[in-house]
Amino acid sequence: MSARDPRRDMPLIFELSTPGRLGCALPDPDVPVRPVAERVPAHLLRETPPALPEVSELDVVRHYTRLSHRNFSIDEGMYPLGSCTMKYNPKIHEDLARLPGFCRVHPYTPPEHVQGALRLMWELERLLAEISGMDRVTFHPAAGAHGELVGMLMIRAYFRSRGEARTRVIVPDSAHGTNPATAAMCGYQVVTVRSDARGNLDVGALRDAMDESVAALMLTNPNTLGLFEERILEIAEVVHSRGGQMYLDGANFNAMLGVTRPGDQGFDVMHMNLHKTFSTPHGGGGPGAGAVGVKAHLVPFLPVPTVERRGDGFVLDEDRPQSVGRVRAFYGNFANLVRAYAYIRSLGAAGLRQVAETAVLNANYLAARLREHFDVPYPRRCMHEFVLSGARQKRLYGVATRDMAKRILDYGFHAPTVYFPLIVEEAIMIEPTETESKRTLDEFAEALIAVAREARDTPDVVRTAPHTTPVRRLDEVRAARQPDLRWRPRRDEPVPGAGRDRP
């Protein structure tokens, strides 16, 4: 490989270090210089210099540019991640989020000086309320799971305000793992209800589990099998008849935009992953935006502050005695709110509906191309994602879904979600999203079909994949429990190239 090939073995930035080399030069100070020891307590001073590399600006630029090329991103290729909606984020949104009036807003700026930012949040709330069928929306939660927690805290506060001590939350066996975790964090006992043969929530089992001790049903719709709940109105009736609340995990809201509204399906609370459905960046831990919408009876419990319109202006309302309080320091990840606002405004109602329709079309097209090469546990028309099974390959050729997921990396695609949902053996969950072209979908389908053929004809090639990535197959248990996220020299070793021992 050439020296410019980002896949080649890269030296550490410390190995590029040459003693005395500088990346920048600071001007001489124009104030009197005093020794650091006069200004910093002795016990806080280092005894030796920090272990930092000494490199030029060009060394730094080239090193981190090469390093960035080792990251797989949506700008480089398709992310077929089910339930994650990793779709393209239009670059115009970045320009808008970086407008000085937005990016220079400080959270401590008095509301009268940030009327534009407050107006954007106020208008975005109304747009999302209209799209979701909810009455109010909060932007405080930092991500989807955080939104779940805030939503369930509001449900808990609602029942406490009524003097009801409900103790249980029902969660389907196909749910995201965050759902039972959230319910448990709020102090509820989690009751699991099975799915039926068509992949829906089993309504008979729900009736058996439902009583006046149940606070809520936490449901994903379309569910994690990529299937729309065919009896959603009946499900809502069962829950509401016993006074329970309907919570929607909105991770799959992308499939419903402009077509149907959760508020009309009977949901009382839902979170909306702005960093998924509304095309704002996510990944790597954030910053996300897990907006939460509620019906009118839960509005008093929204986190504070809320953005309210007073006359011709906007204020932050802290005077909400039944609120669950503050759930984070300020008002959410505001830059993502700007991006989501731009996304909704630029697409309009017709464009949002087209998003859902195209996402559903793409998923069904891809499912149709792959169904003869993999097992299909629930052969129904899917929504924006679908679930295959690699059970055939494992049973006949000893090639696990894990192996095929590793092999697809060699074809230049990010691996799909695997082994989820848990109710499907050797699950392969695929979500192409609406932003991928037919050409890309065909390339991805051909790659997966090729991997399926390799599993049959040359299984060792798949079992030992990946072969072309900078890092080959890892010890997955060790990688999960002992993540190696940052390089540091051992205490008994010199810093490579730095010419000094680590303090």
Side-chain angles (χ1 to χ4, degrees):
M1 296 179 181
S2 72
R4 294 183 179 179
D5 193 324
R7 294 175 298 173
R8 73 183 180 88
D9 289 337
M10 286 179 55
L12 301 170
I13 189 74
F14 291 94
E15 293 171 333
L16 298 174
S17 179
T18 299
R21 181 170 291 172
L22 294 175
C24 62
L26 299 177
D28 292 334
D30 57 0
V31 295
V33 177
R34 293 171 56 191
V36 174
E38 294 181 7
R39 305 176 66 88
V40 179
H43 70 282
L44 297 178
L45 290 176
R46 284 180 174 274
E47 296 178 356
T48 56
L52 297 175
E54 297 174 72
V55 290
S56 71
E57 179 177 307
L58 185 56
D59 290 336
V60 173
V61 169
R62 285 178 175 168
H63 177 77
Y64 285 103
T65 299
R66 289 178 185 136
L67 199 60
S68 71
H69 290 169
R70 291 191 165 193
N71 291 329
F72 192 91
S73 70
I74 197 69
D75 288 344
E76 290 186 293
M78 175 183 171
Y79 268 80
L81 289 178
S83 289
C84 280
T85 316
M86 293 289 285
K87 58 188 181 184
Y88 179 67
N89 303 315
K91 294 298 175 278
I92 184 66
H93 299 172
E94 301 304 309
D95 293 339
L96 298 174
R98 286 169 173 72
L99 288 173
F102 290 140
C103 70
R104 294 179 183 173
V105 170
H106 191 281
Y108 281 130
T109 306
E112 57 268 29
H113 297 315
V114 288
Q115 287 293 294
L118 294 179
R119 176 177 177 177
L120 183 143
M121 289 194 286
W122 188 85
E123 291 189 4
L124 179 60
E125 179 182 342
R126 271 125 198 97
L127 289 170
L128 290 175
E130 174 63 25
I131 293 168
S132 65
M134 296 293 166
D135 293 305
R136 291 293 304 263
V137 178
T138 178
F139 298 125
H140 291 257
H146 192 195
E148 285 181 30
L149 178 63
V150 173
M152 290 304 296
L153 287 175
M154 284 190 278
I155 288 175
R156 189 177 69 176
Y158 166 73
F159 283 119
R160 286 180 175 176
S161 74
R162 296 164 56 91
E164 296 186 47
R166 300 199 174 215
T167 58
R168 301 194 302 154
V169 167
I170 296 177
V171 180
D173 58 4
S174 63
H176 292 103
T178 50
N179 294 172
T182 295
M185 286 181 68
C186 291
Y188 290 109
Q189 176 190 350
V190 177
V191 179
T192 303
V193 171
R194 65 178 180 270
S195 302
D196 64 19
R198 286 183 56 77
N200 298 307
L201 177 67
D202 189 313
V203 178
L206 174 65
R207 290 186 188 278
D208 292 340
M210 192 68 210
D211 60 26
E212 281 70 18
S213 71
V214 173
L217 166 67
M218 297 185 76
L219 190 65
T220 305
N221 191 32
N223 63 27
T224 58
L225 294 166
L227 305 174
F228 192 85
E229 289 289 348
E230 296 170 306
R231 300 169 70 180
I232 185 61
L233 297 180
E234 186 179 355
I235 290 171
E237 192 279 328
V238 170
V239 174
H240 286 154
S241 68
R242 298 299 187 97
Q245 298 291 288
M246 289 281 288
Y247 182 94
L248 175 67
D249 180 325
N252 293 342
F253 195 28
N254 203 50
M256 295 194 285
L257 285 180
V259 178
T260 179
R261 306 194 309 171
D264 299 336
Q265 297 168 14
F267 287 100
D268 303 289
V269 192
M270 71 170 292
H271 75 261
M272 293 167 264
N273 303 75
L274 302 190
H275 51 286
K276 293 182 180 181
T277 307
F278 296 97
S279 198
T280 68
H282 73 331
V292 177
V294 297
K295 286 291 195 179
H297 63 284
L298 293 169
V299 168
F301 309 100
L302 286 169
V304 289
T306 58
V307 179
E308 306 291 345
R309 186 165 198 163
R310 300 277 168 77
D312 294 332
F314 301 89
V315 299
L316 292 171
D317 183 11
E318 303 264 4
D319 185 18
R320 304 182 68 82
Q322 291 185 287
S323 166
V324 295
R326 284 185 175 271
V327 295
R328 66 185 314 226
F330 296 109
Y331 320 116
N333 288 319
F334 177 68
N336 270 3
L337 305 185
V338 176
R339 296 182 179 101
Y341 181 84
Y343 183 73
I344 294 170
R345 284 293 195 200
S346 61
L347 288 178
L352 291 176
R353 183 182 179 96
Q354 188 176 359
V355 164
E357 292 175 340
T358 307
V360 172
L361 177 64
N362 281 0
N364 279 279
Y365 173 74
L366 204 50
R369 287 218 52 186
L370 295 171
R371 66 168 59 117
E372 69 177 276
H373 303 278
F374 299 88
D375 292 338
V376 182
Y378 297 94
R380 285 171 49 189
R381 179 172 297 177
C382 66
M383 292 290 103
H384 69 304
E385 65 186 6
F386 59 97
V387 179
L388 303 172
S389 170
R392 182 195 320 175
Q393 284 76 14
K394 184 175 183 180
R395 183 179 68 255
L396 297 179
Y397 317 120
V399 175
T401 285
R402 178 187 303 104
D403 302 324
M404 292 188 282
K406 301 290 185 185
R407 181 58 174 155
I408 200 69
L409 304 179
D410 291 331
Y411 285 85
F413 292 97
H414 194 284
T417 297
V418 295
Y419 298 105
F420 183 79
L422 301 178
I423 58 175
V424 174
E425 180 185 5
E426 295 291 315
I428 306 171
M429 179 193 281
I430 297 172
E431 180 187 7
T433 80
E434 75 283 357
T435 52
E436 299 298 343
S437 66
K438 180 177 180 298
R439 177 175 179 172
T440 301
L441 298 181
D442 285 333
E443 291 172 347
F444 179 69
E446 292 300 328
L448 260 183
I449 293 169
V451 171
R453 288 174 179 150
E454 289 176 338
R456 180 193 62 197
D457 300 334
T458 54
D460 281 345
V461 170
V462 185
R463 283 194 289 259
T464 55
H467 302 282
T468 62
T469 51
V471 177
R472 300 289 295 276
R473 188 174 294 209
L474 301 174
D475 180 331
E476 295 180 359
V477 174
R478 185 180 177 189
R481 296 183 177 178
Q482 301 175 25
D484 190 3
L485 302 178
R486 182 172 81 85
W487 179 86
R488 69 172 65 196
R490 289 168 46 184
R491 287 186 175 276
D492 58 349
E493 288 184 345
V495 177
R500 59 172 68 115
D501 290 339
R502 182 170 179 265

